[in-house]
C-alpha cells in the first residue's frame, strides 16, 4: 500500500505473486545467515563475482543480444567437447522464471493450434513443488490437475530434485514418468536446477545428456521436452537472475527467442556466467562437503530435546532439509526464534500449505550452531 512501510510480512503481493524465501534478511538488524534459501553454502564464487563487478563498468553499453560468449561457455560446461552439436538448443534468460513463462505460453499456443480451448496441466507426483510452474499455468489459462490424477496432461512440469520435498527421480524412472503422464503432442518442463548437486557425475543421471531421448520424444510423439535450470542456486547469485532452458530442437529454441524480450540477460550476468563455469575448485568443494554438512545439520537438529517426533526429508546430496516438526504451533515458534536470532528459515505454510514443515538450508557449522542455540528454547 502507498506510504506503508515495507516489512518482511508485506514484501509479496499475495494477489499477484507467489511467496518465496530470501527476503527477510533485509529486515533483520542482527542478520547472521539466510537458512531460508537453497543457495550454495560457499557463497558466490569469487572470480565470477569479480567479473560481474568489472562488467558494471560497461553498463553504458547494451549487453550482447545473442548472449555470447556466455552462452557458448555455458554450453561447453553442460556438454563438454560435444557442445557445438547442442548449442542451438540452449537459451538463457532472466532467471528460470522468465523461461518458465516463455515455455508455458508457447505450450498454450501449441494447444490452441490443436483446437484445445482449455488444455490441462499437471505437476510432479509429489504433494508440493516449486510453485512458479503452476502459477504460470494458472495465469495462462491451463486447467490444473492434482498430482494424484492419473489422467495424462497437455503439459507436465516436474521439479527434479523436488524443491522443497527433496524427492528425486533418477534419469530412467524420470523418463518413464514423463511417458506415462503427458499426452501425445504435449509439452514437458523438467526443472533440474538442484540436480548438479548430485555429484561430479551429475550429467550422467540428468536429461542434459539424453539427446536421443529428446529427439525421439519429439519425432515419434510430438512431445517437446524442455530442461530448465536456475543457475543462481548452485553458484549462489540469486540477485543476478541467470537461467537457461535446453529445448528439444533448435527450432523450438528459435520459437522461444521470438517471444522473448531483447537483452533479458544483463551484462554483469553474462560476464558472471562466462567466468563461473571455469571455477572448478568451487564445484569440487561443493560436492565434497555439502553431503557432510547436511548430515551435520540433521545430527545437530536431532540432538535437540524437542526433536523426537521430527522427520527429515530429502536426498543426502541436497543443499537443504525439508523438516516436518509434526506440529504447526512448534513450526511457527521455530520460525520466530530463528528470525529473532538472525538466521531466518523457510516456512512451509505460505505457498506450500505444509503447516508443520520448515525448509532449512545447508550451512557451515558455525552458522548452524546459531540456529541450534535459538531452537533450544522451543
Amino acid at each position: 500500500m502507498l506510504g506503508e512501510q515495507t516489512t518482511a510480512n508485506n514484501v509479496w503481493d499475495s494477489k499477484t505473486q507467489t511467496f518465496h524465501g530470501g527476503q527477510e534478511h533485509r529486515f533483520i538488524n542482527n542478520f547472521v545467515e539466510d537458512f531460508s534459501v537453497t543457495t550454495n553454502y560457499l557463497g558466490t564464487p569469487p572470480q565470477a563475482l569479480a567479473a560481474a563487478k568489472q562488467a558494471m563498468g560497461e553498463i553504458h553499453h547494451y549487453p550482447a543480444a545473442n548472449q555470447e560468449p556466455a552462452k557458448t561457455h555455458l554450453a561447453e560446461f553442460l556438454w563438454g567437447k560435444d557442445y557445438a552439436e547442442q548449442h542451438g538448443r540452449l537459451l538463457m534468460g532472466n532467471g528460470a522464471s522468465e523461461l518458465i513463462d516463455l515455455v508455458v505460453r508457447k505450450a498454450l499456443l501449441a494447444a490452441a493450434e490443436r483446437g484445445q480451448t482449455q488444455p490441462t496441466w499437471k505437476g510432479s507426483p509429489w504433494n508440493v513443488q516449486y510453485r512458479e510452474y503452476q502459477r504460470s499455468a494458472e495465469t495462462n489459462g491451463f486447467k490444473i490437475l492434482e498430482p494424484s490424477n492419473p489422467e495424462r496432461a497437455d503439459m507436465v512440469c516436474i521439479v527434479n530434485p523436488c524443491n522443497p520435498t527433496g524427492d528425486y527421480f533418477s534419469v530412467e524412472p524420470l523418463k518413464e514418468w514423463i511417458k506415462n503422464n503427458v499426452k501425445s503432442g504435449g509439452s514437458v518442463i523438467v526443472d533440474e536446477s538442484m540436480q548438479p548437486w548430485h555429484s561430479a557425475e551429475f550429467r550422467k543421471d540428468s536429461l542434459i545428456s539424453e539427446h536421443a531421448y529428446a529427439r525421439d520424444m519429439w519425432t515419434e510423439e510430438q512431445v517437446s521436452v524442455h530442461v530448465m535450470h536456475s543457475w543462481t542456486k548452485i553458484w549462489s547469485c540469486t540477485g543476478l537472475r541467470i537461467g537457461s532452458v535446453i529445448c528439444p530442437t533448435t527450432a523450438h529454441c528459435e520459437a522461444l527467442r521470438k517471444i522473448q524480450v531483447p537483452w533479458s540477460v544483463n551484462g554483469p550476468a553474462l560476464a558472471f556466467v562466462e567466468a563461473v563455469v571455469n571455477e572448478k575448485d568451487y564445484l569440487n568443494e561443493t560436492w565434497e562437503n555439502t553431503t557432510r554438512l547436511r548430515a551435520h545439520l540433521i545430527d545437530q537438529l536431532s540432538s535437540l530435546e524437542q526433536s523426537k517426533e521430527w522427520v527429515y526429508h530429502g536426498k543426502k546430496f541436497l543443499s537443504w532439509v525439508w523438516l516436518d516438526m509434526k506440529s504447526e504451533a512448534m513450526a511457527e515458534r521455530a520460525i520466530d526464534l530463528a528470525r529473532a536470532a538472525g538466521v531466518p528459515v523457510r516456512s512451509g505454510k505460505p505457498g506450500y500449505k505444509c503447516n508443520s514443515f520448515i525448509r532449512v538450508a545447508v550451512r557451515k557449522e558455525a552458522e548452524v550452531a546459531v540456529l541450534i542455540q535459538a531452537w533450544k528454547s522451543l
Side-chain angles (χ1 to χ4, degrees):
M1 183 179 296
L2 186 64
E4 182 181 3
Q5 182 181 1
T6 301
T7 69
N9 294 324
N10 67 8
V11 67
W12 295 102
D13 179 358
S14 59
K15 294 180 181 178
T16 60
Q17 296 175 311
T18 301
F19 181 87
H20 196 285
Q23 293 290 306
E24 289 186 285
H25 67 282
R26 67 187 75 235
F27 306 105
I28 298 176
N29 293 329
N30 62 335
F31 178 72
V32 177
E33 179 59 273
D34 195 349
F35 282 80
S36 76
V37 292
T38 56
T39 50
N40 196 317
Y41 80 94
L42 286 170
T44 310
Q47 295 175 30
L49 180 59
K53 289 179 177 179
Q54 184 177 354
M56 287 295 292
E58 299 181 5
I59 61 171
H60 57 295
H61 293 299
Y62 281 100
N66 63 358
Q67 306 173 345
E68 295 292 359
K71 188 168 77 169
T72 291
H73 282 273
L74 182 58
E76 191 169 9
F77 170 80
L78 290 168
W79 297 302
K81 59 183 175 57
D82 298 325
Y83 77 92
E85 300 174 24
Q86 313 301 332
H87 180 276
R89 297 169 55 207
L90 182 66
L91 182 67
M92 294 175 63
N94 191 305
S97 296
E98 180 202 13
L99 299 169
I100 291 167
D101 191 61
L102 288 178
V103 177
V104 172
R105 285 163 51 199
K106 194 67 181 68
L108 184 67
L109 291 173
E113 291 172 359
R114 298 194 300 270
Q116 294 174 274
T117 56
Q118 190 180 31
T120 54
W121 178 96
K122 184 161 63 170
S124 74
W126 305 302
N127 64 322
V128 292
Q129 67 175 14
Y130 177 52
R131 291 280 297 180
E132 192 62 25
Y133 290 94
Q134 183 170 331
R135 187 199 69 83
S136 183
E138 290 172 337
T139 300
N140 283 284
F142 280 82
K143 177 183 177 182
I144 308 302
L145 303 180
E146 291 298 320
S148 59
N149 192 320
E151 179 183 338
R152 294 175 187 264
D154 297 290
M155 184 173 203
V156 296
C157 298
I158 178 171
V159 181
N160 188 57
C162 182
N163 192 352
T165 70
D167 292 291
Y168 179 62
F169 275 142
S170 293
V171 68
E172 292 303 325
L174 173 61
K175 288 155 59 175
E176 185 68 17
W177 181 86
I178 291 171
K179 179 181 177 182
N180 293 333
N181 284 277
V182 67
K183 291 180 181 179
S184 179
S187 300
V188 178
I189 301 178
V190 180
D191 185 327
E192 292 194 349
S193 297
M194 312 309 292
Q195 202 274 342
W197 262 279
H198 181 278
S199 67
E201 302 296 317
F202 73 92
R203 297 169 186 84
K204 294 182 179 180
D205 200 40
S206 162
L207 287 184
I208 288 172
S209 305
E210 295 291 323
H211 309 309
Y213 166 76
R215 182 192 64 235
D216 293 346
M217 286 291 285
W218 175 244
T219 57
E220 296 175 10
E221 300 288 341
Q222 290 293 287
V223 169
S224 55
V225 178
H226 303 78
V227 184
M228 191 73 64
H229 287 95
S230 168
W231 295 110
T232 61
K233 305 300 190 301
I234 189 71
W235 287 320
S236 195
C237 59
T238 53
L240 268 185
R241 315 307 308 136
I242 301 167
S244 69
V245 61
I246 303 167
C247 300
T249 68
T250 299
H252 283 81
C253 197
E254 291 172 350
L256 293 183
R257 191 182 300 113
K258 188 175 182 179
I259 60 174
Q260 183 182 37
V261 297
W263 306 296
S264 70
V265 186
N266 62 57
L270 291 172
F272 183 95
V273 171
E274 188 177 347
V276 79
V277 294
N278 296 315
E279 297 219 30
K280 295 180 174 59
D281 290 343
Y282 178 91
L283 284 180
N284 287 333
E285 189 171 351
T286 298
W287 293 319
E288 182 178 347
N289 289 315
T290 300
T291 298
R292 176 183 63 80
L293 288 172
R294 188 179 188 277
H296 173 77
L297 171 60
I298 293 176
D299 180 67
Q300 292 299 297
L301 291 169
S302 301
S303 71
L304 292 170
E305 184 178 348
Q306 305 86 344
S307 68
K308 292 182 177 61
E309 302 298 322
W310 296 359
V311 180
Y312 310 95
H313 299 270
K315 295 297 181 180
K316 294 179 179 180
F317 63 82
L318 293 174
S319 64
W320 76 92
V321 173
W322 185 230
L323 168 60
D324 185 2
M325 289 185 160
K326 298 294 183 177
S327 164
E328 180 177 352
M330 181 175 288
E332 290 180 351
R333 175 67 174 154
I335 291 161
D336 291 340
L337 289 171
R339 185 187 300 114
V343 285
V345 295
R346 170 70 153 90
S347 170
K349 188 173 183 178
Y352 298 129
K353 298 180 181 179
C354 296
N355 297 358
S356 65
F357 282 79
I358 294 174
R359 192 184 65 193
V360 186
V362 171
R363 293 293 182 256
K364 296 178 182 178
E365 291 93 336
E367 287 81 11
V368 169
V370 177
L371 177 65
I372 297 302
Q373 183 63 37
W375 279 0
K376 284 183 177 179
S377 60
L378 273 173

